[in-house]
Amino acid sequence: MATYLAYANENDDERDTKKVFVFELKSDIDPRSNRKVRLAMEEAKNQEADLIIIHMDTYGGAVNDADDIRTMILESTIPVYSFIDKDAASAGALISIACDSIYMAPGASIGAATVVMGGSGEAAPDKYQSYMRSMMRSTAEARGRDPRIAEGMVDEKLEIEGISKAGEVITFTVSEAIANNFCEAQVSSIPDLLDHIGWENREIVYYEPSSIEDIIALFLNPVVSGFLILIIFAGIYFELQTPGIGFPLLASVIAIILYFIPYYLTGLAANWEIAVFIVGVVFLLIEIFVLPGFGVFGILGILGILTGLTLGMLPNDLFDFTFVASGKLFTALLTVLLAAIIATVLLFTLMPKVNEWKAFSSISLATTQQRTDGYTSTMYSNDLVGREGVAHTRLLPSGKVRIDDEIYDAYSRGEFIDKGDPIKIISSEGTSLRVKKVDPEA
């Protein structure tokens, strides 16, 4: 349940008190604000509010999410008013026009609804402009406002006598909006708005996101997302190096859930994007456990994982990035790639030291294998340096090697060494040997 702050006049007669539900829309119109509006309006209905007021200040955003929001407003059984505190541009104008009444603060504006591409800020192709013009016209008609003026907020070619010239989209000031029936009155605050409509006895309920929504917002932070990606890669890698432990894999699965669930709930991560990630993991596992070397499945697996993680952060429509802001695309790519690079560097740097950690070795397979099996897990001396043997398991880059029927923990210099490949020990790192692949014909 959400948390609310309620205020009421002490001397109000409760039987005549009107309940007013207020929520803010002061960010880009995107899947997150779409979800916020839906939750807020559902709670307003549960609270049996008499009026919903949207405290508006936005430059717009995604057309599809604006369409969802305006549909929710048009279908609301509770009257919805818009209080434009500063700006209601583009998608914000569409949402405001969908409201039963519009009120504006001094200095506010409404209009400029031309659809622009997220990356360049240039006008989008005409098919998008046509769709927006249609929505503006139909929405204005539904609320008894001039549909040509609403269309003129999108189409710069449309000239309306006394209001706009060709080559200019319509943007109204407060007085202009009032004169053209796109604003009821100028008010300085929400209480001032309620005084204007004669609601002296009222209870104002301000919507505040629940603790769950706060947690979701936290996990949408790129820094947190990047950290979860680190855990995803590290967990999968450590589980492959020490199969059977379970804890690294569990940590990775939890990180995957925590990564995708917030983006899924806010409408950013689509089912197919999550599926691309899962397929990528499957391809990578096939490459590691079924096919030798590193080929097509390995490359497709890595691309699938990186693609799923990146697209899950973006408000794209399949592979259409027309309305994805360049800043958001850059942030998503940087977060995923940087996390993947850092994870790779840390794994290749720290993995050789893992076997020296007492806490790790106590739960690893090294403690379950016996000397009678030909396995050696004691501290390795420098006497082994220079000796040759074969890879007892795959080294990715860590694994095990066989030297004269003895098995040792080892890791490569970063290269992939398949099971059975000839190797040479180049240094001893305590409980692990550093090896390289050798050419048997050399």
Side-chain angles (χ1 to χ4, degrees):
M1 293 291 290
T3 304
Y4 304 93
L5 305 175
Y7 304 89
N9 296 336
E10 294 182 359
N11 298 322
D12 287 347
D13 183 348
E14 292 184 1
R15 291 172 297 179
D16 299 326
T17 299
K18 300 290 188 179
K19 179 175 286 188
V20 181
F21 192 93
V22 179
F23 67 89
E24 294 184 346
L25 197 54
K26 296 184 176 182
S27 60
D28 290 344
I29 306 303
D30 59 16
R32 285 166 285 200
S33 54
N34 190 341
R35 173 180 169 82
K36 177 181 179 179
V37 172
R38 177 171 57 81
L39 293 175
M41 294 191 68
E42 286 176 357
E43 194 55 42
K45 186 175 181 179
N46 293 335
Q47 292 277 320
E48 298 183 348
D50 298 294
L51 175 65
I52 298 173
I53 297 179
I54 303 176
H55 195 161
M56 173 86 66
D57 183 11
T58 180
Y59 289 110
V63 175
N64 56 334
D65 290 299
D67 186 17
D68 289 343
I69 293 173
R70 72 122 190 177
T71 301
M72 284 187 275
I73 294 171
L74 290 173
E75 294 178 350
S76 174
T77 57
I78 304 171
V80 182
Y81 288 7
S82 173
F83 171 53
I84 304 173
D85 203 352
K86 290 292 184 296
D87 297 287
S90 190
L94 174 64
I95 294 169
S96 292
I97 293 172
C99 294
D100 297 274
S101 295
I102 303 173
Y103 291 84
M104 300 172 69
S109 62
I110 180 174
T114 300
V115 183
V116 297
M117 293 185 289
S120 63
E122 298 177 354
D126 188 64
K127 66 177 182 178
Y128 299 108
Q129 307 297 350
S130 176
Y131 178 58
M132 187 66 168
R133 290 195 298 267
S134 174
M135 282 198 297
M136 292 290 281
R137 286 197 308 270
S138 62
T139 305
E141 286 179 355
R143 293 308 188 200
R145 301 185 175 100
D146 191 331
R148 280 179 55 80
I149 292 178
E151 184 177 1
M153 292 181 176
V154 181
D155 190 356
E156 62 181 13
K157 299 177 183 178
L158 185 61
E159 184 174 358
I160 302 176
E161 185 177 355
I163 296 178
S164 68
K165 300 178 181 179
E168 300 177 353
V169 294
I170 296 174
T171 301
F172 282 151
T173 63
V174 178
S175 59
E176 291 169 339
I178 293 173
N180 290 281
N181 193 34
F182 276 76
C183 177
E184 273 59 55
Q186 174 178 294
V187 294
S188 59
S189 63
I190 289 175
D192 190 18
L193 185 161
L194 296 174
D195 289 339
H196 179 82
I197 64 176
W199 284 21
E200 295 181 357
N201 297 337
R202 73 268 182 145
E203 176 189 4
I204 305 177
V205 179
Y206 290 91
Y207 174 78
E208 291 290 337
S210 67
S211 56
I212 294 177
E213 296 303 310
D214 290 335
I215 293 173
I216 290 175
L218 173 65
F219 281 98
L220 292 175
N221 186 302
V223 175
V224 178
S225 296
F227 180 72
L228 291 174
I229 294 172
L230 282 174
I231 297 177
I232 292 171
F233 284 122
I236 294 175
Y237 184 82
F238 277 112
E239 184 64 28
L240 293 176
Q241 294 301 312
T242 55
I245 293 178
F247 173 74
L249 181 61
L250 177 62
S252 184
V253 170
I254 292 175
I256 291 171
I257 293 173
L258 292 177
Y259 180 88
F260 278 111
I261 287 296
Y263 287 108
Y264 182 81
L265 291 176
T266 53
L268 291 169
N271 290 329
W272 73 270
E273 292 167 341
I274 299 175
V276 167
F277 172 83
I278 295 173
V279 170
V281 173
V282 172
F283 278 3
L284 192 59
L285 293 177
I286 291 174
E287 182 68 32
I288 292 173
F289 290 110
V290 180
L291 302 175
F294 192 80
V296 175
F297 276 90
I299 295 173
L300 291 177
I302 292 175
L303 288 177
I305 291 172
L306 296 179
T307 299
L309 291 172
T310 303
L311 296 184
M313 301 176 70
L314 299 172
N316 55 297
D317 183 9
L318 292 177
F319 290 100
D320 183 358
F321 297 89
T322 302
F323 302 111
V324 178
S326 56
K328 291 182 178 179
L329 180 58
F330 176 78
T331 299
L333 287 172
L334 182 64
T335 299
V336 174
L337 292 178
L338 192 59
I341 291 171
I342 293 175
T344 301
V345 172
L346 289 178
L347 290 174
F348 276 78
T349 302
L350 297 179
M351 189 60 191
K353 305 296 182 181
V354 168
N355 287 326
E356 298 178 17
W357 301 346
K358 293 182 178 179
F360 186 84
S361 62
S362 65
I363 61 173
S364 70
L365 290 181
T367 60
T368 66
Q369 292 179 286
Q370 302 298 320
R371 180 79 179 192
T372 55
D373 297 326
Y375 181 81
T376 302
S377 61
T378 57
M379 295 292 289
Y380 303 143
S381 70
N382 290 327
D383 294 340
L384 293 169
V385 176
R387 296 178 64 179
E388 296 184 356
V390 296
H392 185 65
T393 66
R394 286 182 173 183
L395 276 68
L396 302 168
S398 297
K400 303 187 187 304
V401 297
R402 181 183 294 273
I403 309 291
D404 295 335
D405 296 326
E406 296 285 351
I407 300 173
Y408 302 85
D409 286 313
Y411 69 98
S412 70
R413 298 178 300 178
E415 61 182 330
F416 171 83
I417 300 178
D418 202 2
K419 180 179 180 180
D421 286 346
I423 56 90
K424 182 177 182 179
I425 301 172
I426 57 178
S427 67
S428 174
E429 306 291 340
T431 59
S432 186
L433 300 174
R434 188 178 184 186
V435 303
K436 69 176 182 177
K437 184 177 180 179
V438 297
D439 186 354
E441 297 180 358

